[in-house]
Structure formats: C-alpha cells, structure tokens
Amino acid sequence: MGSGMHRFAVNLSMLFTELPLVRRPAAAAAAGFTAVELWWPWPATPVPPQEELAELREALRDAGTRLVALNFYAGRLPGPDRGALSVPGEESERFRANVDVAVGFARSTGCRALNALYGNRVDGIPPGVQDALALENLAFAARAADRAGAVVLVEALNAVESPRYPLTRAADAVAVAAKVDAATGLRNCRFLMDLYHLAVGGEDLPTVIDRHGGRAGHVQIADAPGRGAPGTGRLDVPGLLGRLRRTGYDGWVGLEYRPGDGGSARSFGWLADH
C-alpha cells in the first residue's frame, strides 16, 4: 500500500477499534495493508500472560501483516498518562519490567521500532530528577532493543493535548535521543516524527523535516486540526511526505488517525491518489 519510497502501516490502536484486538490485523489486510503498528495493547499490564502475546502474534501471522512499530508500556493510553519511563516509583518499575517483554515480542514478529513515551511531569518531583531517570531507563531500553536489532523511538507530543509532557518540540525529542546514544554508544535511539503532534504544537513542518528528517526512525501522520485522515484538515500531507522522502527517509509511515463517521475501512480513499 502506497507508492514511491513510502510504505504505510495502519495503527491498530486507533483504526479498526470497533473489532477485538486479534481481529484487527485481518481487517487491515482486507483493506490492502501488509504492515501495522500498535500502542502497547495491554495498558494495565506491562507483563501480560504468554497466551495473550501468542494470540496476537498468531493473528498478525495469519493475516500476513508485519508489525513495524510498537509502544513500550506507557501507562493508561488512551487516557491521562503519556508514558512511564520518567515517572519515579512503581511506573518506572513497570516500564523496566515491560522492556524485555516488548523487545521479545518485537523480535518474534520482526518489529524493528519500539516507541518509548517519556511520561508526564509529576508534581513535587524536580524535572532534573525525572530527566535523569528517563535517561537511565531509555538507555536500558536501547541496550535491550539493540540485542533484537531494533531502534528505540523518542516522540514529541503537542502541549495542547499533553500539557504535562515535557517533550513538545522536535528539537526536544532529538536532543534526548542524542543523549541516549551518547550514554550507550549504540546509536539506536531515534526520533519519532509525528506530523500531527508537531503541527498542533505550532511547529513549521517543512523546517522540522529539513532539520530532523535524518534523525527520524519512524513517522506518523494525521491531518490537523481534528486528527482525521489526510484531506480532512489543512495539512498538505502528500507534500510533506514528498519533502521527507527527499531527506532520505525511506521507512514506514504510520496512519495514526481517527477514522471518522464512515469507519476505518472507508478512511483510506486519500491513498488512491498518493
């Protein structure tokens, strides 16, 4: 699905959500996709039962869909949380417990990109304390991911929808990824470039692409405003993807948008002309 150097992956945490999780890969395949991505599918459980992991793995295999990006445990998502790795105490421990599980699942499915959401600021905790914990946990995740030939992604979210999330600019996320690379020496921590979040945050997208396209390890799209499919808002998504391609990015582009009233299967019409 897609043309040129861009390959599109359906985000199964936002699309086909009217179906049980294990039926979504087949729905994506029926719509013409061979690749999917997921938030951590068990938001309350960083270490789910092995049978649930196996069931999802089999659903992906039986549908002929490859998992190309997966979030680490990120707390209640969707919900009030925006990650766990910088949150001291139990949430940080849950993130670390999830790392081997998520990396193992990625290895078994051929997934090579793992998104590590940074986490919200916590009242009463100095930002420097959270940032030090984040660097420690990201380095831990990067070392584990390296053993599976995968990269760890750091994402910037928009401050409008995530006001307590500290990484709200592309440069913030790129700087954190660089610190992780310096700490590990592995160079496998990359920038997750979500064009929707960056647009809502007020960034100039052509400038972001030109400056940081070379650091992108994964890209996600939705139109803005509204977080709908391309063509429902004001972004020139095809033009932005073309610009990204000229930076040398040839990886996956995740469709992380709300499908609208017509349902998921009818939200892909924009791809016919792309």
Side-chain angles (χ1 to χ4, degrees), residues 212-224:
H212 303 300
R215 287 288 297 173
H218 189 65
V219 173
Q220 292 175 326
I221 60 171
D223 214 330

PDB file of all heavy atoms in Angstrom, residues 212-224:
ATOM      1  N   HIS A 212      15.436  17.707  10.807  1.00  0.00           N
ATOM      2  CA  HIS A 212      15.466  16.496  11.624  1.00  0.00           C
ATOM      3  C   HIS A 212      15.077  15.221  10.874  1.00  0.00           C
ATOM      4  O   HIS A 212      15.037  14.150  11.489  1.00  0.00           O
ATOM      5  CB  HIS A 212      14.544  16.671  12.833  1.00  0.00           C
ATOM      6  CG  HIS A 212      14.876  17.860  13.685  1.00  0.00           C
ATOM      7  ND1 HIS A 212      16.102  17.990  14.298  1.00  0.00           N
ATOM      8  CD2 HIS A 212      14.155  18.966  14.020  1.00  0.00           C
ATOM      9  CE1 HIS A 212      16.122  19.129  14.984  1.00  0.00           C
ATOM     10  NE2 HIS A 212      14.961  19.731  14.830  1.00  0.00           N
ATOM     11  N   GLY A 213      14.808  15.333   9.571  1.00  0.00           N
ATOM     12  CA  GLY A 213      14.429  14.141   8.824  1.00  0.00           C
ATOM     13  C   GLY A 213      15.477  13.042   8.892  1.00  0.00           C
ATOM     14  O   GLY A 213      15.146  11.855   8.929  1.00  0.00           O
ATOM     15  N   GLY A 214      16.735  13.432   8.960  1.00  0.00           N
ATOM     16  CA  GLY A 214      17.804  12.436   9.030  1.00  0.00           C
ATOM     17  C   GLY A 214      17.871  11.694  10.341  1.00  0.00           C
ATOM     18  O   GLY A 214      18.524  10.643  10.430  1.00  0.00           O
ATOM     19  N   ARG A 215      17.199  12.212  11.379  1.00  0.00           N
ATOM     20  CA  ARG A 215      17.173  11.547  12.690  1.00  0.00           C
ATOM     21  C   ARG A 215      15.922  10.697  12.868  1.00  0.00           C
ATOM     22  O   ARG A 215      15.776  10.010  13.884  1.00  0.00           O
ATOM     23  CB  ARG A 215      17.227  12.579  13.804  1.00  0.00           C
ATOM     24  CG  ARG A 215      18.578  13.239  13.996  1.00  0.00           C
ATOM     25  CD  ARG A 215      19.598  12.307  14.619  1.00  0.00           C
ATOM     26  NE  ARG A 215      19.221  11.892  15.962  1.00  0.00           N
ATOM     27  CZ  ARG A 215      19.866  10.982  16.684  1.00  0.00           C
ATOM     28  NH1 ARG A 215      20.927  10.389  16.190  1.00  0.00           N
ATOM     29  NH2 ARG A 215      19.472  10.666  17.893  1.00  0.00           N
ATOM     30  N   ALA A 216      15.001  10.758  11.919  1.00  0.00           N
ATOM     31  CA  ALA A 216      13.722  10.053  12.077  1.00  0.00           C
ATOM     32  C   ALA A 216      13.909   8.549  11.940  1.00  0.00           C
ATOM     33  O   ALA A 216      14.511   8.061  10.984  1.00  0.00           O
ATOM     34  CB  ALA A 216      12.711  10.544  11.048  1.00  0.00           C
ATOM     35  N   GLY A 217      13.374   7.830  12.935  1.00  0.00           N
ATOM     36  CA  GLY A 217      13.365   6.382  12.874  1.00  0.00           C
ATOM     37  C   GLY A 217      12.003   5.823  12.537  1.00  0.00           C
ATOM     38  O   GLY A 217      11.864   4.642  12.211  1.00  0.00           O
ATOM     39  N   HIS A 218      10.990   6.679  12.599  1.00  0.00           N
ATOM     40  CA  HIS A 218       9.628   6.292  12.259  1.00  0.00           C
ATOM     41  C   HIS A 218       8.836   7.583  12.096  1.00  0.00           C
ATOM     42  O   HIS A 218       9.178   8.613  12.693  1.00  0.00           O
ATOM     43  CB  HIS A 218       9.007   5.420  13.358  1.00  0.00           C
ATOM     44  CG  HIS A 218       7.683   4.803  12.990  1.00  0.00           C
ATOM     45  ND1 HIS A 218       7.551   3.873  11.989  1.00  0.00           N
ATOM     46  CD2 HIS A 218       6.422   4.982  13.497  1.00  0.00           C
ATOM     47  CE1 HIS A 218       6.288   3.482  11.905  1.00  0.00           C
ATOM     48  NE2 HIS A 218       5.588   4.158  12.800  1.00  0.00           N
ATOM     49  N   VAL A 219       7.788   7.536  11.291  1.00  0.00           N
ATOM     50  CA  VAL A 219       6.947   8.702  11.032  1.00  0.00           C
ATOM     51  C   VAL A 219       5.492   8.301  11.206  1.00  0.00           C
ATOM     52  O   VAL A 219       5.092   7.181  10.845  1.00  0.00           O
ATOM     53  CB  VAL A 219       7.186   9.250   9.607  1.00  0.00           C
ATOM     54  CG1 VAL A 219       6.193  10.355   9.252  1.00  0.00           C
ATOM     55  CG2 VAL A 219       8.616   9.762   9.474  1.00  0.00           C
ATOM     56  N   GLN A 220       4.701   9.198  11.785  1.00  0.00           N
ATOM     57  CA  GLN A 220       3.257   9.001  11.900  1.00  0.00           C
ATOM     58  C   GLN A 220       2.547  10.230  11.371  1.00  0.00           C
ATOM     59  O   GLN A 220       3.053  11.355  11.480  1.00  0.00           O
ATOM     60  CB  GLN A 220       2.853   8.737  13.356  1.00  0.00           C
ATOM     61  CG  GLN A 220       3.372   7.397  13.876  1.00  0.00           C
ATOM     62  CD  GLN A 220       3.080   7.182  15.347  1.00  0.00           C
ATOM     63  OE1 GLN A 220       3.072   8.123  16.136  1.00  0.00           O
ATOM     64  NE2 GLN A 220       2.864   5.935  15.738  1.00  0.00           N
ATOM     65  N   ILE A 221       1.348  10.016  10.821  1.00  0.00           N
ATOM     66  CA  ILE A 221       0.610  11.122  10.230  1.00  0.00           C
ATOM     67  C   ILE A 221      -0.851  11.093  10.643  1.00  0.00           C
ATOM     68  O   ILE A 221      -1.437  10.050  10.916  1.00  0.00           O
ATOM     69  CB  ILE A 221       0.694  11.120   8.686  1.00  0.00           C
ATOM     70  CG1 ILE A 221       0.120   9.815   8.108  1.00  0.00           C
ATOM     71  CG2 ILE A 221       2.120  11.345   8.217  1.00  0.00           C
ATOM     72  CD1 ILE A 221      -0.019   9.834   6.594  1.00  0.00           C
ATOM     73  N   ALA A 222      -1.427  12.283  10.689  1.00  0.00           N
ATOM     74  CA  ALA A 222      -2.853  12.551  10.754  1.00  0.00           C
ATOM     75  C   ALA A 222      -3.004  13.994  10.336  1.00  0.00           C
ATOM     76  O   ALA A 222      -2.053  14.785  10.432  1.00  0.00           O
ATOM     77  CB  ALA A 222      -3.415  12.341  12.164  1.00  0.00           C
ATOM     78  N   ASP A 223      -4.170  14.358   9.843  1.00  0.00           N
ATOM     79  CA  ASP A 223      -4.378  15.741   9.451  1.00  0.00           C
ATOM     80  C   ASP A 223      -4.684  16.580  10.675  1.00  0.00           C
ATOM     81  O   ASP A 223      -5.033  16.062  11.746  1.00  0.00           O
ATOM     82  CB  ASP A 223      -5.510  15.844   8.424  1.00  0.00           C
ATOM     83  CG  ASP A 223      -5.265  16.951   7.404  1.00  0.00           C
ATOM     84  OD1 ASP A 223      -4.610  17.958   7.759  1.00  0.00           O
ATOM     85  OD2 ASP A 223      -5.734  16.818   6.255  1.00  0.00           O
ATOM     86  N   ALA A 224      -4.525  17.892  10.513  1.00  0.00           N
ATOM     87  CA  ALA A 224      -4.793  18.824  11.607  1.00  0.00           C
ATOM     88  C   ALA A 224      -5.501  20.042  11.033  1.00  0.00           C
ATOM     89  O   ALA A 224      -5.159  20.492   9.932  1.00  0.00           O
ATOM     90  CB  ALA A 224      -3.495  19.227  12.310  1.00  0.00           C
TER      91      ALA A 224
END
